[in-house]
Amino acid sequence: MDPVASPEDFALAADLVRDAGQLALRMRMEGLTASEKTSVSDVVTSADREAEALVVKRLRELRPEDGIVGEEGASRNGTSGRSWVIDPVDGTYNFFAGSTYWCSALALRADPGPHDVHGDPEVLLGAVYQPQEEQLWLGGRGYPATRNGEPVTWPEDEPLNRISAGTYIHPTWLLRPEVAGPWTAAASRAATIRMMGSGSCDLVRVAAGQFGAWFQHSCPEWDWLPGKAIVLAAGGSTAVAEVNGFRWHIAGTAAAVREIHGALTSA
């Protein structure tokens, strides 16, 4: 039997991202320090670790047969054919800097099979919570995309030159033509671009029509799957393109996804 997400899974996901986000916010208000992971803009705080630990503990108690994949190192193989993918604080640089543009995000995915596209497993549900905006987004297979319990209305299918595109590229990658070339080819076709620093926050805004599309290279599962689930549940499109050995993740209106895919692959 193919893995599915139950109504109880959606309710649990909502509780987990809400609790993780509120914990992180309280810890920030009490004072935090950050340490670098790969660069000055890629940081981790004790709030990231504590929020992930909270989610992991609850999942081990309530979903003991499911696997776990966490950005801050949580890892557990399951027996159910499903795994929870955790991003306790997405947009940590924003979070630590005092911005409101960050979230706690969670996805439930089917464990990849031998013929699945690498880096883009089937996602069953996504949950994204922005504590300071008090916005909770849910969506997945058989569950319409919602924001604070209200259905999200998918925008009209407009071409890329009529819409904004959310994206992110670290400045060092602009010196790498095999990445900078495709990125520039796609970005230059949008009406305007937005680079806000949280993939999950960006993707739920695609679902709501605030961004028309989104693309980024080399996304880990925790930056892609929660938002992907919500975009698809809202009625949007997603794709993954392999270009020069790098995997690009794309979401948006069907027309925009086709254009971005074409721009990336032809650059």
Side-chain angles (χ1 to χ4, degrees), residues 36-227:
E36 294 182 17
K37 295 202 296 189
T38 62
S39 71
V40 69
S41 62
D42 182 18
V43 296
V44 63
T45 71
S46 56
D48 294 77
R49 299 187 181 99
E50 289 296 322
E52 181 165 294
L54 179 153
V55 174
V56 169
K57 181 176 184 294
R58 295 272 300 279
L59 288 174
R60 285 178 172 172
E61 293 172 352
L62 299 173
R63 298 293 186 273
E65 296 181 350
D66 291 344
I68 295 173
V69 180
E71 180 181 12
E72 305 310 329
S75 178
R76 174 181 177 175
N77 293 326
T79 59
S80 65
R82 317 184 317 172
S83 291
W84 296 84
V85 181
I86 309 165
D87 197 345
V89 178
D90 180 38
T92 301
Y93 189 86
N94 292 349
F95 168 76
F96 188 66
S99 168
T100 66
Y101 202 80
W102 62 277
C103 66
S104 291
L106 187 67
L108 178 62
R109 65 159 169 82
D111 290 338
H115 302 297
D116 290 346
V117 176
H118 182 58
D120 193 30
E122 181 182 4
V123 62
L124 307 176
L125 71 79
V128 173
Y129 177 62
Q130 287 187 261
Q132 292 178 271
E133 305 288 342
E134 193 52 49
Q135 294 192 77
L136 173 65
W137 306 76
L138 283 173
R141 186 195 294 174
Y143 190 102
T146 61
R147 176 175 56 190
N148 293 341
E150 296 296 323
V152 172
T153 301
W154 185 250
E156 293 183 6
D157 190 12
E158 295 192 275
L160 189 55
N161 65 0
R162 302 288 301 174
I163 58 177
S164 64
T167 186
Y168 179 77
I169 185 169
H170 191 274
T172 56
W173 286 106
L174 294 173
L175 304 176
R176 300 274 300 272
E178 67 271 32
V179 171
W183 182 85
T184 301
S188 62
R189 299 190 185 194
T192 185
I193 60 171
R194 299 287 182 263
M195 200 177 301
M196 305 293 287
S198 167
S200 289
C201 290
D202 290 349
L203 283 162
V204 295
R205 277 157 179 77
V206 172
Q210 296 169 17
F211 293 177
W214 181 90
F215 66 100
Q216 185 176 324
H217 77 88
S218 306
C219 285
E221 288 185 340
W222 45 80
D223 284 340
W224 171 238
L225 294 182

